[in-house]
Amino acid sequence: MSRQPFQEDTMRIAIIGVGNVGGGLARAAVAAGHDVVLSAAHPDKARATAEATGARAAESNTAAVDGAQVVVLAVPGVDAPAVAAELAPALAGAVVVDATNPLDETYSDLAITGTSGAEAVQQAVGAVPVVKAFNTVFASRYAAPTENGEPLQVLIAADDADARARVAELATSLGFAPIDAGGLRLARSLEEIAFLNITLNATKGWAWQSAFQLVGPTA
């Protein structure tokens, strides 16, 4: 399967979903100079978010991903596999980024066990590479990707090394420090890390600004 060529500075990015995650990523990606197209279940919401962020709106998910190099799933985590399956025929040449967390209806646990939402998305799209990324960083930090002068880290997991590298390029362009976590099996850990951060903020009344950082020597 051939992939769309990535220009050095600009990527064509489709973001599916315009909630906090989708809208936040759209704003950050547009500010970084990327070509961003949005879609949502309600096209009027996509148009409103596009106007607010400087992105463009598409009338459908399929139209949004046409020609995209990176497709970001920013829908509810439990819906991501079904959305991915819908898009699968139109994803040739794209890298799919699963930015979701599959929380249950009460937000008290993850809705799946023994696997990850990202692995379910991978099953839904077949050979299209799926990358777990951006789910461990709150949407509120997409516009403020540093802490004490240091970039926040974005953990990245995928079975396709080239796809991980491409998403690392995107994360760097947004001001983050990407960390290659390895294969998609590690998406399970990334979703648990995100769940822990969500739970701490929800139960302790924190300001939804916290982020996990790996510190110390790496060599």
Side-chain angles (χ1 to χ4, degrees):
M1 178 178 61
S2 62
R3 296 188 185 167
Q4 297 293 328
F6 282 80
Q7 297 181 21
E8 183 176 355
D9 297 318
T10 302
M11 297 182 189
R12 170 78 182 277
I13 302 170
I15 300 177
I16 312 301
V18 293
N20 291 337
V21 172
L25 280 175
R27 188 181 301 276
V30 169
H34 298 295
D35 177 14
V36 181
V37 182
L38 304 176
S39 66
H42 301 285
D44 57 328
K45 292 184 178 180
R47 288 190 290 270
T49 302
E51 183 175 354
T53 61
R56 295 182 290 116
E59 290 301 310
S60 69
N61 293 342
T62 302
V65 305
D66 183 27
Q69 297 161 310
V70 175
V71 175
V72 180
L73 299 180
V75 298
V78 293
D79 297 335
V83 173
E86 169 202 340
L87 293 174
L91 291 174
V95 170
V96 174
V97 175
D98 177 16
T100 75
N101 289 300
L103 299 173
D104 65 16
E105 292 182 355
T106 63
Y107 298 92
S108 61
D109 203 347
L110 296 180
I112 58 177
T113 59
T115 186
S116 67
E119 288 168 289
V121 169
Q122 183 67 81
Q123 288 185 338
V125 298
V128 177
V130 172
V131 180
K132 193 75 183 185
F134 298 108
N135 71 301
T136 57
V137 180
F138 286 142
S140 58
R141 300 309 299 263
Y142 294 156
T146 63
E147 185 71 22
N148 296 324
E150 295 294 326
L152 297 179
Q153 295 164 352
V154 167
L155 293 162
I156 296 170
D159 289 336
D160 186 303
D162 182 64
R164 293 198 305 268
R166 297 306 185 185
V167 177
E169 291 176 16
L170 173 60
T172 299
S173 76
L174 302 186
F176 293 100
I179 293 182
D180 186 335
L184 200 59
R185 162 66 178 82
L186 275 299
R188 305 178 197 181
S189 298
L190 271 58
E191 291 174 2
E192 289 286 1
I193 288 171
F195 176 56
L196 174 57
N197 204 13
I198 290 167
T199 300
L200 288 171
N201 279 264
T203 59
K204 296 182 179 298
W206 292 359
W208 300 90
Q209 295 290 315
S210 56
F212 286 102
Q213 295 282 93
L214 291 171
V215 299
T218 58

